[in-house]
Amino acid sequence: MQTQTQTQPRAALRFRVLPSTAYTPRLPFVVFFPRNRWPARVWCTAAENGGFLGEQKQLQMPHKKAYPFDEIEPRWQRFWEENNTFRTPEVVDTSTPKCYILDMFPYPSGAGLHVGHPLGYTATDILSRYKRMKGFNVLHPMGWDAFGLPAEQYAIETGTHPRITTKQNIKRFRSQLKSLGFSYDWDRELSTTEPEYYKWTQWIFLQLFKKGLAYQAEIPVNWCPALGTVLANEEVINGVSERGGHPVVRRPMRQWILKITAYADRLLEDLDELDWPESIKEMQRNWIGRSEGAELEFHVVDSEGCDLGLELSVYTTRPDTIFGVTFLVVAPEYLFLSSLASEAQHDIVFQFVSCFLFLLMPLGFFGKKVLSEVEQYREVALRKSDLERTDLQKEKTGVFSGSYAMNPANGEAIPIWVADYVLGSYGTGAIMAVPAHDSRDHEFALKYDIPIVRVVIGTDKNHHNREPYVDDGIMINSSNSSSGLDINGLSCKDAAAKVINWLEITGYGKKKVNYKLRDWLFARQRYWGEPFPVIYLDDSGEVVPLPEKELPVVLPELDDFNPTGTGEPPLAKATSWVNTADPISGRPARRETNTMPQWAGSCWYYLRFMDPKNSKALVDKDKERYWGPVDIYVGGAEHSVLHLLYARFWHKLLYDIGVVSSKEPFKCLINQGLILGEVEYTALRDPQGNLVSADSTVIRDNYYQEKVPAEKVSKVGDFYVIKDDPSIRLIARAYKMSKSRGNVINPDDVVSEYGADSLRLYEMFMGPLRDSKTWSTGGIEGVHRFLARIWRLIVGPNLSDGSYSDGSVATDDEPSLDQLRALHRCIAKVTEEIEETRLNTGISAMMEFINAAYKWDDQPKSILEPFVLLLSPFAPHMAEELWFRLGHQETLAYEQFPEAQNEFLKDSSIVLPVQINGKTRGTIIVDESCPEDDAFRLATQDKKLSKYLLGKTIKRKIYVPGRILNVILDQQKVSQ
């Protein structure tokens, strides 16, 4: 072990050698180094550290501090907190324009923040600081969506009350956010777990109940016995819970449901008015899924066509294809599935007994076998998530129900199948299958040998194409004299209209508008959530809403949070709380033991931030009218459907009852991208241990992967290869940060090493806000050096003892035209980029300014001060310190943001030809109003021109501003 140090008083630190591969043991070792100094490098031989491919590994040591961020940042954070710098007054001047900037409600997990989280928070903080400096009243709050399953699961595992862990997590999150200098109004901090808050969540539920928008129904749900709760479809992956990987089954359960479908049309139509990404609006349109079509009634019949007294309703958007229906499909959870299978059983027994009486027993068994197969298929299908079942790449499976239905258009008996690619939650839970014109039906028909009848042809009239034809066209094979329906030769649109009219006349169906959107399952069988403000009367079972004066219904204390195992929620254990009395009649009653889902509290928090201390109303009308709606809402795209859709639904209810004054809650939506972990390099080895290039065509499943340290990798063209063997290409990929991959970077570590301003600036400089980006420690070092350059430019170099002088190096000199132009171009660019949230290019503009400023002979205060104000939204700690050193005693948080002056934005530079004795020898760049002396000085400084002038006597100069400079030399002197 060697270190490049000298013999001096020493300090010992214990380091841990990073393994070069996933299989190398970690080896501790001690390094001695002089006080306050780091060795240039520390080497560890391959033998000592099991290095990759026999090479040495260089350990990265902490860099030298470039400027005193560790002193500056805590000082200004204390100043802001002690002076309530960013507190938004309860009463503001409503004649002043407002800007409400909001981050999506974070869930405070025990893991704390990683460097991906501050991306959106930094962007909203820059916008907030900018808007304050532009004279706006700014509302920029923060709070916590803290109810939910993760906290409850942790409580079950550790025996710690979820309230305790939630408060600890909030404290950690708050501390981390404050360390990054975000300008939140912490006086408005909220948590969904506080009774003062969820009192109004319960109040909103009562309004929904009174409007008939909250009801109870017994529906199939995703029940997870291990977690003891119902899970949403998106919380189930491959038949197991997303959290914990526990088995999930479908079972009927009585649940509270919110009728979001009542607002489907408004939720759809009002999207057009929003300044949201078009991709997000399209996701919501698809989720709502409005379609126009028809609902048809198919009579269930036996194989001989005899009506069995059952009807099967089907919704279709293509009634024009009714003659092409060759089978029906019902979902495994179809409500009357058992009746269909039972009818089949009776029918089979009846037919065979009529012919062969002595086969009664075996055929009775066969009928039961049909029913059994259906039930078995149903059980398997219901373990799958909706996403699995509707995957277009999935092989279609199904089972014949044993029953038939009559096609009303042609009177033919068609089989009824059960298949999991049909969902019980969409339409009626049954479809009419037209295999000639639907790809899923076509695949199913081919597998089970079901007839395929083509009834639509395109303009090319290709009758023989084996693939399903799914576009519009002309109807064929679509006429029946018995039914009186003839649509041959019509376009699909005209045929659909004629079929709907025929259905309504004959009573076989009607026109129908349908939605993919389902009513919102609004109950969870868990403890850590908002209690419902309703009771059930013991004598009648009637549901009674509690009077508003009884709110909040406070969540009772429990020591045992474990699932009951019976399906009853944990709250059922709080018997003294459950058993109550109707506050109006005094009759004995029981409380609801389900709790609201985690989405509940996050549906309306943006309103409470406007008026967080109000005990009389959800929000004061005047405050809501001023602050609403949210002007800029920033968060991840993963919440673009459910959270935003639910919040819009509640907001529209509140609009209808006069609580809010706007139809929509969020005017502008911005989705920030992900920050991925650092690029990981992976080599492949074959079973014999030989390295294999990642682009090889012979890669097999039995090859194994081996991580390669970044220092062993080089880039050749578009590929990454092993330095010592460039023929071996590597897999280079950045992954989403996660504890399981071990690629999470803690912002606390980054702040300690580089400072909060460096982290803020780097996350904005990595690329466009909306794009995903890859973390690079080398990148943040570059931004840190940029901030250090700003520091040295304004404060000056450090003194011999490492400290810095007080004040700055700014002068009171009048700025030059070049300096003014550089400043105002920077102002114009940064202003434009902040307004358009192109924050990375705004930082680039400031870097260009600093490069120019380092070439100046002096640094006028009138130039530096506006630049510091430009910097302040991005790097507020350094900006505040520099502002103070420039002679100001007050915070710059409310200083006016600089405005670019047009007179300095015009590019008046020209290329001026320079002649020597009438012959053009070169050109110089000058301002079009440049005086003769300045033009001549520039000419003498030009390397190409100066050789003609050096040591020469000038007879005279001819200067035409903006046109030419001609220097006439004394020819006699030249000849001598």
Side-chain angles (χ1 to χ4, degrees), residues 720-771:
Y720 292 91
V721 300
I722 295 174
K723 280 183 180 178
D724 286 355
D725 188 355
S727 67
I728 302 298
R729 291 181 181 175
L730 304 173
I731 300 170
R733 182 179 172 186
Y735 297 86
K736 183 178 178 180
M737 289 189 182
S738 67
K739 288 189 292 183
S740 60
R741 289 206 67 86
N743 65 347
V744 172
I745 297 175
N746 190 326
D748 296 350
D749 297 335
V750 179
V751 170
S752 174
E753 187 72 11
Y754 297 98
D757 283 343
S758 293
L759 176 58
R760 291 168 59 107
L761 209 63
Y762 175 59
E763 296 215 349
M764 296 298 98
F765 188 60
M766 291 170 75
L769 176 62
R770 295 162 178 82
D771 293 355

Side-chain angles (χ1 to χ4, degrees), residues 120-134:
Y121 303 153
T122 303
T124 57
D125 192 61
I126 290 171
L127 295 172
S128 298
R129 290 175 177 273
Y130 169 75
K131 287 294 185 179
R132 287 191 195 96
M133 298 174 76
K134 295 293 283 186

Side-chain angles (χ1 to χ4, degrees), residues 744-974:
V744 172
I745 297 175
N746 190 326
D748 296 350
D749 297 335
V750 179
V751 170
S752 174
E753 187 72 11
Y754 297 98
D757 283 343
S758 293
L759 176 58
R760 291 168 59 107
L761 209 63
Y762 175 59
E763 296 215 349
M764 296 298 98
F765 188 60
M766 291 170 75
L769 176 62
R770 295 162 178 82
D771 293 355
S772 292
K773 298 161 278 285
T774 302
W775 179 268
S776 169
T777 301
I780 195 170
E781 287 174 349
V783 168
H784 186 69
R785 288 193 296 270
F786 166 63
L787 287 174
R789 293 190 75 206
I790 296 174
W791 178 262
R792 292 192 300 271
L793 178 74
I794 299 176
V795 176
N798 59 313
L799 304 176
S800 58
D801 62 355
S803 64
Y804 293 87
S805 60
D806 296 334
S808 73
V809 298
T811 68
D812 293 326
D813 295 346
E814 288 295 319
S816 68
L817 184 60
D818 284 345
Q819 290 172 331
L820 287 168
R821 282 180 178 161
L823 171 66
H824 286 275
R825 286 171 185 163
C826 184
I827 292 171
K829 184 66 173 175
V830 172
T831 302
E832 178 185 354
E833 303 306 79
I834 292 178
E835 291 281 1
E836 299 298 326
T837 62
R838 297 188 295 256
L839 304 174
N840 56 317
T841 47
I843 296 170
S844 296
M846 290 189 283
M847 289 179 171
E848 292 175 10
F849 173 85
I850 291 299
N851 289 338
Y854 262 87
K855 299 175 184 177
W856 300 337
D857 295 330
D858 65 341
Q859 307 297 337
K861 189 176 182 180
S862 59
I863 297 293
L864 295 182
E865 285 187 339
F867 175 77
V868 169
L869 295 177
L870 285 182
L871 177 69
S872 64
F874 298 85
H877 306 89
M878 174 179 279
E880 289 275 24
E881 181 70 16
L882 295 176
W883 190 249
F884 177 77
R885 285 171 172 266
L886 286 167
H888 302 277
Q889 301 301 312
E890 299 294 331
T891 175
L892 53 63
Y894 295 93
E895 290 290 330
Q896 182 178 351
F897 199 79
E899 292 189 11
Q901 297 180 25
N902 290 331
E903 61 185 289
F904 299 116
L905 299 179
K906 297 176 182 177
D907 189 1
S908 57
S909 298
I910 61 170
V911 178
L912 183 73
V914 178
Q915 295 181 344
I916 307 295
N917 291 335
K919 186 174 183 179
T920 301
R921 297 294 188 180
T923 60
I924 56 176
I925 305 297
V926 299
D927 188 80
E928 59 186 2
S929 60
C930 179
E932 179 181 323
D933 290 345
D934 287 349
F936 180 73
R937 177 175 55 81
L938 290 171
T940 59
Q941 293 173 352
D942 185 88
K943 290 182 180 180
K944 186 177 180 180
L945 294 169
S946 61
K947 65 182 180 181
Y948 296 103
L949 302 174
L950 187 64
K952 307 298 190 299
T953 300
I954 297 173
K955 187 174 181 181
R956 64 192 178 100
K957 292 176 284 189
I958 301 172
Y959 180 59
V960 181
R963 300 290 298 277
I964 196 168
L965 170 65
N966 188 4
V967 181
I968 308 299
L969 302 179
D970 189 329
Q971 294 295 324
Q972 185 177 1
K973 297 282 186 182
V974 171

Side-chain angles (χ1 to χ4, degrees), residues 444-497:
F444 192 89
L446 289 177
K447 181 173 181 178
Y448 293 104
D449 198 23
I450 302 173
I452 299 174
V453 177
R454 184 174 293 273
V455 295
V456 182
I457 58 171
T459 54
D460 58 0
K461 298 188 178 181
N462 185 354
H463 295 251
H464 307 291
N465 191 342
R466 293 187 177 184
E467 295 300 316
Y469 180 76
V470 298
D471 296 324
D472 289 342
I474 303 300
M475 306 307 303
I476 60 172
N477 302 325
S478 298
S479 175
N480 184 272
S481 57
S482 298
S483 65
L485 180 60
D486 182 1
I487 54 176
N488 277 332
L490 297 180
S491 68
C492 289
K493 182 178 180 181
D494 291 341

